[in-house]
Amino acid sequence: MSPPVPIGLAPGAMLGILGGGQLARMMALAAADLGIRCHIFAPEADSPAFDVTARHTIADYDDEAALAAFAGAVDVVTYEFENVPAATAAFLAGRIPLHPGARALAVTQDRLSEKSFIANLGLPVAPFRAVDSLADLEAAVAALGRPSVLKTRRFGYDGKGQVKIAPGSDLGEAHEAIGRFPAILEGFVPFVREVSVVAARGLDGAFAAFDVCENEHRDHILAFTHVPANLSAGASDAAIDAARRIGEALGYVGVFAVEMFVLEEGEAERIVINEIAPRVHNSGHWTSEGAQTSQFHQHVRAVCGFPLGSTARRGHVEMENLIGDAALHWREILAEPGAHLHLYGKRDARPGRKMGHVTRITGDGV
């Protein structure tokens, strides 16, 4: 039997967070502003979130004794990453409110279920086919053509677990490159830019979206986010409406992001949905200084049953990810007028590792 859903916790409550990375760290800092204490559960002893919380548990996600003790010590549980094991989510949801719920995890952990869910809502998505064998891949490429992208159904992020199928690509080698795991093939989308909607849905069903932001990737990793996006009013409205419909269909509670492609068709623009992230999101980091309510404060508000905050933008905003050695320039960034530096407390600045970010705000909120 599922536990009762809390309607509005109060300051002093304990929020449990699965995962101890930078998203959990920033979530815990925001929770402290609202008088909410946090307890982090993560298997890594050097988790950055441990530095800013009074309580943490170091244990594997399949350690039921540790999970039971964790559930008994908190009032509600959330998570910072979408690959929480299904068994872990089910175990906790049977003992303590879990937001976002297990359905959001189940849908978004598997690219095939996610694409099917989006398509069944009548929302635009790239053409796709399931691939469980080399024969499936050959049939899918024949149907969708080249170029196309082969992606594992599970555990891919920042360009991992995927390979481009170009003219001349050997399909056997491509299938081997993803480990012959269950996959999907996505047809080519001739997009001109990438955008995302970061939004929140409360326990009471209230919905609030931040302005659509435009994202620039380098080596498959988000490098810059610009707000507002270079997007027509009609396409922006369609993007936010799509996020609203997704949140409602999932019965979602918390902050989530919907990543989208922008296509130009003559003088018109339209959006095609790429994927859903059931958590606070890298492209929403600009909100820490660039919006009236940050995505992290908004997430804590949502999962604790507090009223959602204003998503009004404070100006034109740029967020720059600090990847690897870029974080070593912290002194120059601190000396830059108007720059807001966030470092994640990670010790090793490895190539491709997100070490921090900086936001810059100019102009007003128009």
Side-chain angles (χ1 to χ4, degrees), residues 17 27 37 41 61 74-75 124 156 162 191-192 217 251 275 309 333:
I17 304 175
M27 210 183 299
R37 300 170 297 151
F41 188 109
Y61 293 118
V74 301
D75 297 297
Q162 61 183 265
F191 64 92
V192 294
H217 291 80
E275 62 184 29
I333 295 169

Side-chain angles (χ1 to χ4, degrees), residues 29-358:
L29 289 169
D33 287 342
L34 300 175
I36 298 295
R37 300 170 297 151
C38 289
H39 184 154
I40 307 295
F41 188 109
E44 300 87 6
D46 61 348
S47 295
F50 291 172
D51 293 343
V52 300
T53 54
R55 301 193 64 180
H56 64 262
T57 295
I58 302 172
D60 291 331
Y61 293 118
D62 61 358
D63 186 334
E64 292 192 351
L67 288 170
F70 174 66
V74 301
D75 297 297
V76 63
V77 173
T78 190
Y79 43 85
E80 68 146 12
F81 68 112
E82 57 264 59
N83 289 320
V84 174
T88 301
F91 183 90
L92 290 171
R95 290 162 172 77
I96 194 77
L98 175 70
H99 302 308
R103 181 161 184 255
L105 284 174
V107 168
T108 58
Q109 283 181 347
D110 184 301
R111 285 191 171 102
L112 180 60
S113 66
E114 180 180 68
K115 297 289 184 184
S116 300
F117 167 79
I118 296 168
N120 289 338
L121 289 178
L123 295 172
V125 66
F128 63 95
R129 295 287 190 279
V131 173
D132 293 312
S133 66
L134 179 57
D136 287 344
L137 177 57
E138 292 168 345
V141 170
L144 301 183
R146 305 177 188 231
S148 48
V149 183
L150 180 65
K151 300 180 179 180
T152 57
R153 285 173 56 173
R154 304 176 74 87
F155 303 117
Y157 66 96
D158 288 344
K160 298 177 175 64
Q162 61 183 265
V163 60
K164 183 177 180 179
I165 306 296
S169 294
D170 184 280
L171 298 186
E173 291 179 0
H175 198 224
E176 288 292 333
I178 64 161
R180 292 181 291 178
F181 288 113
I184 65 169
L185 184 76
E186 294 183 11
F188 177 68
V189 176
F191 64 92
V192 294
R193 64 187 67 91
E194 297 178 67
V195 300
S196 58
V197 175
V198 178
R201 193 167 181 273
L203 273 175
D204 60 356
F207 175 85
F210 296 96
D211 284 359
V212 182
C213 53
E214 185 171 335
N215 302 313
E216 178 184 340
H217 291 80
R218 295 179 183 173
D219 298 323
H220 302 289
I221 300 174
L222 180 63
F224 293 92
T225 294
H226 303 277
V227 196
N230 178 19
L231 194 64
S232 68
S236 179
D237 290 345
I240 291 174
D241 182 64
R244 183 195 305 272
R245 290 170 62 184
I246 287 169
E248 289 176 354
L250 289 174
Y252 198 90
V253 176
V255 165
F256 63 104
V258 184
E259 299 179 31
M260 307 177 190
F261 300 124
V262 180
L263 284 69
E264 291 182 347
E265 298 174 338
E267 295 184 357
E269 292 178 329
R270 70 180 180 94
I271 56 100
V272 172
I273 297 172
N274 181 25
E275 62 184 29
I276 306 164
R279 53 174 170 80
V280 292
H281 193 256
N282 197 170
S283 70
H285 288 357
W286 68 270
T287 62
S288 291
E289 286 78 34
Q292 292 290 339
T293 307
S294 78
Q295 67 165 343
F296 304 103
H297 284 85
Q298 195 79 301
H299 186 75
V300 174
R301 284 173 177 248
V303 302
C304 291
F306 294 179
L308 298 182
S310 168
T311 58
R313 181 169 45 83
R314 289 176 167 156
H316 286 69
V317 189
E318 176 190 87
M319 187 282 297
E320 178 186 359
N321 261 340
L322 300 177
I323 308 296
D325 288 347
L328 301 179
H329 299 292
W330 58 269
R331 186 176 295 276
E332 293 94 319
I333 295 169
L334 287 176
E336 179 186 336
H340 302 270
L341 177 65
H342 299 262
L343 294 176
Y344 304 153
K346 297 178 180 178
R347 294 186 179 90
D348 300 321
R350 299 192 297 269
R353 193 181 197 196
K354 296 172 183 175
M355 301 297 295
H357 70 270
V358 57

